[in-house]
Amino acid sequence: MRRTPIVLALLGALAVTGCSSSGGQTAQSAPASSAAAPAGASFAVITHGAPGDSFWDVVKNGAEAAGKQYGVQVTYQGDGDPAKQSQLIDQAVSEKVDGIVVSMANPDALKEAIGKAVAAKIPVVTINSGADSSKAFGAITHVGQSEDVAGRGAGEQLKAAGVTKLLCVIHEAGNVGLDQRCKGAEETLGGTVERLQVDVSNLADVTSKVTAKLQSDKQVNGVLALNPAIAVAARDAIRDSGSQAKLGTFDLSGDVVTAIKDGEILFAVDQQQYLQGYLPITFLNLYKNNLNTVGGGLPVNTGPGFVTKDNAEQVAKLAEAGTR
């Protein structure tokens, strides 16, 4: 992917000041006075991630590490209900925080709340999903990956593995990014893609539904999960059904990395979600201190990359540390 010079410079600086040689732990030394925001600066991170979701735990880790690095207060809250997420944004506006980081799985539902933040002159950085609406809503930048590009990459990987009929498992209704992933995979697979709607909060039912589909349609020889917990449930379904279907997934967890090492999952599309927590706090800090904006009106990409059996061992150590 192309990155602007300022993004490369920022990432280089993060590599020096944000990580230790022992596996991605944030340095605890005090930042230079020129880098720290004024005393009392506070940033709110509000996502659509449910509490306990391993993916969003890593985003939270990144945001909190950046807060320590720059000496600012960072609060993290998540709710998968768009109405409740909007209320959390409204609450942050009423508290007059210095910046808001928000994921937009359902942009239309958040438009009014984000508009209130922008009207109150609170800078907003969007992350993870909703990139197409970020600029229009008034955010200063978006941090994440292109879901279309990532989906096409996943489709290419599955095609190379011989998949001709793919089951794309969608775990959050109304999440525009998930549909984009399936569409992207469909573009490059060259075969048939069928969607299966499941509920991420009921993993036993996910395993049951995927098992039933694999047993009823023997032509399905590939499964694409869009979430690490769904990937583990799909792996179990492939075992239970006796299917030989190839499995790929989006995003990482310790269980997913282990399954890749064991040959049970072909790959994980890695959007480096730690950066989706860390970079927005960095950008808001720069904006507050120096009115810097990053990206030039374009998203700052954190992925996609691919974790396969070739590099899973290295990534496993970082996943255990909570940074991948």
Side-chain angles (χ1 to χ4, degrees):
M1 86 189 69
R2 293 188 61 190
R3 294 185 178 177
T4 61
I6 189 170
V7 175
L8 291 173
L10 280 168
L11 293 178
L14 289 174
V16 173
T17 62
C19 299
S20 71
S21 60
S22 61
Q25 296 300 307
T26 302
Q28 299 300 312
S29 57
S33 59
S34 61
S42 63
F43 302 131
V45 181
I46 302 167
T47 76
H48 66 277
D53 186 308
S54 60
F55 176 91
W56 291 104
D57 285 345
V58 177
V59 175
K60 180 182 178 183
N61 290 345
E64 291 179 344
K68 291 178 182 178
Q69 179 72 23
Y70 301 115
V72 300
Q73 180 183 355
V74 173
T75 59
Y76 177 94
Q77 294 176 288
D79 201 305
D81 182 335
K84 292 180 179 178
Q85 192 183 3
S86 292
Q87 292 170 3
L88 292 174
I89 298 170
D90 290 340
Q91 179 182 335
V93 173
S94 69
E95 292 172 354
K96 299 181 179 179
V97 298
D98 296 292
I100 294 174
V101 180
V102 59
S103 64
M104 298 198 300
N106 192 324
D108 290 343
L110 304 182
K111 182 177 182 179
E112 182 178 350
I114 292 173
K116 291 177 183 177
V118 173
K121 300 189 183 305
I122 297 174
V124 175
V125 174
T126 58
I127 63 169
N128 183 260
S129 49
D132 292 343
S133 300
S134 178
K135 186 176 180 180
F137 285 9
I140 62 173
T141 196
H142 178 85
V143 178
Q145 72 176 359
S146 167
E147 303 293 12
D148 293 324
V149 172
R152 290 195 289 270
E156 290 170 353
Q157 295 270 343
L158 292 163
K159 180 178 181 178
V163 173
T164 54
K165 186 170 184 179
L166 178 67
L167 188 66
C168 193
V169 186
I170 297 179
H171 59 275
E172 290 175 353
N175 186 328
V176 294
L178 301 185
D179 188 57
Q180 288 173 334
R181 292 175 179 182
C182 291
K183 285 181 178 178
E186 193 168 14
E187 288 177 17
T188 55
L189 182 70
T192 303
V193 176
E194 184 173 334
R195 291 162 176 75
L196 177 67
Q197 181 71 56
V198 298
D199 182 358
V200 69
S201 66
N202 189 344
L203 295 176
D205 188 57
V206 174
T207 299
S208 177
K209 286 183 176 179
V210 176
T211 298
K213 182 61 182 177
L214 292 174
Q215 289 176 335
S216 65
D217 188 349
K218 301 297 184 181
Q219 291 186 324
V220 174
N221 60 353
V223 178
L224 181 60
L226 308 179
N227 167 282
I230 298 297
V232 173
R235 178 209 53 196
D236 294 343
I238 290 171
R239 287 177 178 172
D240 294 347
S241 65
S243 171
Q244 298 300 311
K246 305 294 185 182
L247 174 61
T249 188
F250 278 73
D251 303 326
L252 294 175
S253 69
D255 289 339
V256 165
V257 175
T258 298
I260 291 173
K261 290 194 295 182
D262 293 342
E264 297 172 326
I265 297 178
L266 288 177
F267 63 85
V269 181
D270 181 18
Q271 60 179 301
Q272 302 183 102
Q273 70 267 32
Y274 184 84
L275 293 179
Q276 294 178 19
Y278 196 107
L279 290 179
I281 301 302
T282 301
F283 296 163
L284 286 173
N285 188 54
L286 287 167
Y287 184 84
K288 182 171 180 61
N289 290 338
N290 209 42
L291 287 180
N292 290 126
T293 57
V294 180
L298 298 176
V300 176
N301 289 324
T302 63
F306 289 88
V307 177
T308 66
K309 204 167 186 177
D310 291 337
N311 60 358
E313 187 66 44
Q314 295 170 298
V315 173
K317 296 177 182 177
L318 299 171
E320 289 174 4
T323 61
R324 291 296 291 271

